Amino acid sequence: MNGAHDLGGKHGLGPINPEPETDEPVFHAEWERRVFGLTLATGMLGCWNIDESRYARERQHPLDYLNNSYYENWLAGLQHLLEEKRLAEKQASAGLRIPDEAAARKILAGGSPTALPAESAAKFSRGDRVRVRKIQHRGHTRAPAYAQGAIGEIADCYGCHIYADDHARGIRRGEPLYCVAFAGVELFGPDAQAHEVRIDLWEPYLEHLTP
């Protein structure tokens, strides 16, 4: 879905002026720290996954998304999930995963693996020329809008990994994941610098380049 969250390569939003990492604090205010902590803590309950969490933030009205700060978007997404999953109505005995301190530290340190057994052979190999499909469905996708329709070359295949588009709907299944190399001019036009851009893309995002 091309929403307000998909800002890569868009014109008209002004220059990027990031704070140097050496000067930027981890949190700019105490409430940001609290929102970060609440998001992690509720995520550990096992009621949703990371792609569902991202999709909850994306489903805001575009003006709200653009007007909000980073952690305001996190808070809006968390509020959506709490309402949709009716978490306030659930009790500890209702299947919630409530880790103790040791378990929480283990979850934070280890994360969650994304690799899955492949159900079929990968369709593409290194060196194949591919085009990124134009994806206009209303759900979550990790195919950036600026790459859709662009032509690139398979640089690597990482094996089979959880497919984010389905995972955002609570469906855990895998698709082959590739590293695709693009010329800068292919993505951003003839005035772009001649840099190569590499993007990790799942197999359903790609199609063979026909002569």
Side-chain angles (χ1 to χ4, degrees):
M1 180 175 66
N2 298 338
H5 63 282
D6 193 355
L7 301 178
K10 287 189 177 179
H11 297 285
L13 294 176
I16 296 173
N17 186 27
E19 298 175 82
E21 290 188 8
T22 54
D23 298 335
E24 183 181 10
V26 176
F27 301 104
H28 293 79
E30 178 60 27
W31 71 265
E32 293 186 342
R33 185 191 305 273
R34 290 175 180 268
V35 169
F36 179 76
L38 282 170
T39 301
L40 292 185
T42 52
M44 290 183 190
L45 297 175
C47 296
W48 56 78
N49 61 60
I50 189 170
D51 292 304
E52 288 178 284
S53 185
R54 287 175 175 144
Y55 187 37
R57 298 168 203 161
E58 295 167 5
R59 283 180 284 151
Q60 297 177 71
H61 189 284
L63 289 179
D64 292 334
Y65 190 97
L66 293 174
N67 287 328
N68 284 345
S69 67
Y70 182 75
Y71 281 109
E72 283 175 334
N73 282 327
W74 274 46
L75 179 58
L78 179 57
Q79 289 171 327
H80 281 312
L81 289 169
L82 292 175
E83 292 172 1
E84 290 174 355
K85 304 293 184 177
R86 304 177 71 174
L87 194 60
E89 302 173 16
K90 293 187 177 182
Q91 303 295 323
S93 59
L96 296 179
R97 179 184 66 186
I98 304 179
D100 57 19
E101 181 179 348
R105 289 181 179 275
K106 185 177 180 179
I107 292 171
L108 291 174
S112 179
T114 64
L116 293 175
E119 296 182 0
S120 59
K123 294 181 180 179
F124 305 107
S125 302
R126 288 185 183 181
D128 285 353
R129 298 274 287 168
V130 294
R131 179 184 283 110
V132 184
R133 298 178 185 272
K134 293 188 177 181
I135 300 170
Q136 298 298 331
H137 63 70
R138 295 179 59 84
H140 174 72
T141 183
R142 300 290 284 173
Y146 68 86
Q148 294 182 24
I151 295 171
E153 181 177 304
I154 301 294
D156 201 356
C157 181
Y158 301 131
C160 186
H161 291 262
I162 294 173
Y163 182 43
D165 297 46
D166 284 348
H167 205 218
R169 298 184 289 120
I171 301 170
R172 183 183 173 89
R173 75 175 187 89
E175 287 284 355
L177 181 64
Y178 303 89
C179 174
V180 185
F182 300 89
V185 294
E186 177 69 23
L187 296 174
F188 306 118
D191 294 331
Q193 295 182 354
H195 294 312
E196 181 181 82
V197 179
R198 295 193 170 199
I199 306 174
D200 293 342
L201 298 166
W202 275 275
E203 190 167 273
Y205 300 165
L206 306 173
E207 59 187 5
H208 278 291
L209 185 63
T210 56

